Amino acid sequence: MHDIRFIRENPAAFDAGLARRGLDPLSAEIGAQDAQWRATSTAVQESLARRNEASKAIGAAMARGDAATADALKAEVATLKTRLPELETEEKALAEALQARLAAIPNLPAPEVPEGPDETANVEQHKWGTPRSLNFAPQDHADFGPALGLDFEAAAAISGARFAALRGQMARLHRALGQFMLDMQTGSNAYEETNPPLLVRDEAVYGTGQLPKFAEDLFRTTTGHWLIPTAEVSLTNLVREQILAEAVLPIRMTALTPCFRSEAGSAGRDTRGFIRQHQFEKVELVSICTPEQAADEHEHMLQSAQGILEALGLPYRRMLLCAGDMGFSAAKTFDLEVWLPSQGVYREISSISTCGDFQARRMNARFRPEGEKGTRFVHTLNGSGLAVGRTLVAVLENYQNADGSVTIPEVLLPYMGGMTELTPKL
RNA sequence: GGAGAGGUGGCUGAGUGGUCGAAAGCACCGCACUCGAAAUGCGGCGUGCCCUCACGGGUACCGUGGGUUCGAAUCCCACCCUCUCCGCCA
């Protein structure tokens, strides 16, 4: 959510930021809406002031038994009240329209975010690891996975497309990955383990920015709850409507949760394999901090996510997203992309964003700066550390052997109950 | 699901139609006292929005949304949440 005062005072800068996202200028239109609302609001307040004044006088008149004055004043208020309801209705409608307008505008890119319309303009910043050289043609996990327990057919019969059942050794490896990641993030990376709600209300999804614009990407229950598309929603909203002491910041949280996405608009993309599912697990990282801490927290989060890939020995690269490729709430985003040998490309496995006070404003999450009066909005950051499903794909493909087996990465061995590889079954 | 109790400022907690943005206490800030501190005394101390260059003024907010009234923290309706007991349940 944008601060209307910022738009009022810096219309040119606001429009320039929108332009970097490829959006048309809005400040003139919003400014007009704002001016109209303020004028109406002022009119309402003036009417109320007069009413309140008269009501006090009525009270005083009645106290001294002056019924005539009281009745005269009542008549005056009565006429006032014929106009007030419509003014109030108008003011409310204008305020709501303005809020709705603001709620649908994405965050502005940070100054250092590169220009560009889409992913082709993202900037590679860092590359780690070299893809294993195989003496055979790398296979697609969708092809050799089923023999290892990745069951798409049975899941399709139960739930339809974009679902999978993991069975036996495959389920074990998947669990091992999630546990390993959670252990890393709650260990030296110092994120607090959290087990949040998976079903949330409108306000929570609005707070992180998926609503009102992206309802079609979410699943909704008959009770009106939303299934979280990412634990970012639950974790970030844990501080909603709170005023935190500065001393408790930064608050670092992590959670291993299922995520649910309708994938509306993704028809035809990644239809094979485990890359794009309606349901997947992810270890999410969230940091709630002061504006001054945000840059360091962003870096720490990056290191925390990269550390998983490095520990697993998965080659990856880090991309700084250009202005046109960022998500709705982000001010600056890094994507981590993991090497997938079957496709010969790097694929997104983590997205790590700083949102400034954009989400905090929507959630009304503030802190009390020490030695300062008043409150300020916190800054929020979120990132995947990592997407477990896609990490499973990356492990399968990068550790595949010519005979269709998959070697278990060393760091996962303590989680595998003695298993050292996945063995194909016919 | 049934029955009951309750949601007031950073916290505790008064307040059942007007002068209540709201007593009191705690916490916090300033001043006094003190060599210094504690204790004590005095004063201050909510948030959003609007108007104003400013000083300042107005308005809204006592869980949320409606309603009654000249006037609502206080009365009425709906909803949300918390707690207690019963039932059910992993």
Side-chain angles (χ1 to χ4, degrees):
Chain A
M1 176 69 74
H2 290 284
D3 184 356
I4 182 65
R5 273 173 300 192
F6 175 83
I7 302 174
R8 244 179 240 158
E9 289 159 20
N10 310 277
F14 181 74
D15 284 338
L18 292 182
R20 297 183 63 204
R21 277 203 183 251
L23 299 172
D24 293 330
L26 290 172
S27 69
E29 188 187 327
I30 289 172
Q33 241 180 318
D34 177 45
Q36 198 188 349
W37 165 69
R38 279 191 290 163
T40 309
S41 170
T42 301
V44 168
Q45 290 190 11
E46 281 168 356
S47 292
L48 286 172
R50 255 178 276 139
R51 185 205 65 183
N52 289 346
E53 205 180 356
S55 290
K56 267 187 188 173
I58 290 169
M62 287 174 72
R64 64 175 188 268
D66 184 352
T69 305
D71 287 343
L73 285 164
K74 279 189 193 181
E76 187 196 328
V77 174
T79 48
L80 200 66
K81 283 184 73 178
T82 57
R83 171 127 177 77
L84 195 52
E86 62 186 77
L87 257 184
E88 279 179 321
T89 304
E90 189 187 344
E91 187 271 343
K92 200 175 161 190
L94 288 167
E96 277 169 7
L98 183 58
Q99 282 302 104
R101 196 80 169 87
L102 290 174
I105 300 170
N107 203 352
L108 300 182
E112 67 273 24
V113 167
E115 304 298 325
D118 54 38
E119 69 276 5
T120 59
N122 295 345
V123 177
E124 182 180 311
Q125 288 212 316
H126 175 64
K127 195 179 254 181
W128 185 93
T130 39
R132 245 173 98 207
S133 56
L134 304 175
N135 55 7
F136 59 94
Q139 301 298 299
D140 189 319
H141 74 281
D143 293 322
F144 68 86
L148 301 171
L150 190 48
D151 192 339
F152 294 107
E153 279 184 29
I158 301 166
S159 304
R162 292 205 196 284
F163 286 93
L166 308 183
R167 311 177 75 168
Q169 53 188 350
M170 186 64 76
R172 179 73 188 231
L173 177 59
H174 183 260
R175 174 159 65 92
L177 278 168
Q179 297 303 315
F180 165 68
M181 290 180 197
L182 201 53
D183 283 349
M184 288 269 287
Q185 306 304 5
T186 57
S188 55
N189 292 335
Y191 289 88
E192 181 180 44
E193 183 165 352
T194 311
N195 194 317
L198 307 179
L199 298 176
V200 300
R201 299 186 183 208
D202 292 359
E203 301 91 271
V205 193
Y206 176 89
T208 37
Q210 287 82 9
L211 288 185
K213 275 194 86 172
F214 307 102
E216 69 278 7
D217 295 330
L218 307 173
F219 288 110
R220 193 167 201 206
T221 70
T222 54
T223 56
H225 288 98
W226 302 91
L227 276 71
I228 57 169
T230 160
E232 168 200 347
V233 176
S234 305
L235 294 181
T236 309
N237 277 282
L238 245 22
V239 299
R240 67 174 294 116
E241 285 159 42
Q242 288 189 44
I243 300 174
L244 303 161
E246 182 172 7
V248 308
L249 303 176
I251 297 172
R252 292 177 182 163
M253 294 172 278
T254 185
L256 167 59
T257 70
C259 303
F260 303 92
R261 299 186 182 179
S262 72
E263 294 299 340
S266 308
R269 284 165 62 193
D270 302 310
T271 49
R272 291 197 77 223
F274 201 52
I275 289 282
R276 191 177 297 276
Q277 301 278 292
H278 285 308
Q279 171 189 330
F280 61 96
E281 290 198 359
K282 180 159 59 65
V283 170
E284 182 72 3
L285 306 174
V286 160
S287 179
I288 310 296
C289 65
T290 69
E292 293 73 24
Q293 293 166 335
D296 286 347
E297 284 301 292
H298 204 180
E299 182 59 29
H300 180 263
M301 199 174 275
L302 269 174
Q303 295 304 326
S304 300
Q306 290 174 184
I308 303 286
L309 288 162
E310 291 172 18
L312 289 168
L314 295 171
Y316 71 90
R317 62 178 187 174
R318 179 167 89 215
M319 308 296 287
L320 172 57
L321 298 199
C322 73
D325 197 31
M326 290 195 304
F328 183 78
S329 296
K332 182 182 179 182
T333 299
F334 296 101
D335 272 5
L336 301 182
E337 299 180 343
V338 70
W339 176 252
L340 288 190
S342 71
Q343 300 180 12
V345 295
Y346 288 91
R347 288 297 303 260
E348 178 184 342
I349 198 167
S350 172
S351 189
I352 302 166
S353 301
T354 183
C355 301
D357 63 8
F358 186 84
Q359 293 179 324
R361 190 168 262 116
R362 289 171 161 254
M363 298 189 299
N364 196 20
R366 294 168 291 168
F367 74 102
R368 245 176 238 295
E370 280 162 28
E372 225 177 275
K373 64 169 189 167
T375 58
R376 295 167 70 191
F377 288 110
V378 297
H379 277 207
T380 60
L381 299 93
N382 65 80
S384 2
L386 306 162
V388 179
R390 288 192 177 179
T391 308
L392 180 71
V393 170
V395 167
L396 292 176
E397 294 207 357
N398 282 278
Y399 285 87
Q400 63 180 297
N401 301 312
D403 64 358
S405 67
V406 170
T407 305
I408 308 291
E410 204 176 314
V411 293
L412 297 181
L413 292 177
Y415 298 89
M416 291 301 292
M419 214 182 290
T420 58
E421 64 169 28
L422 305 192
T423 313
K425 290 177 181 145
L426 297 181

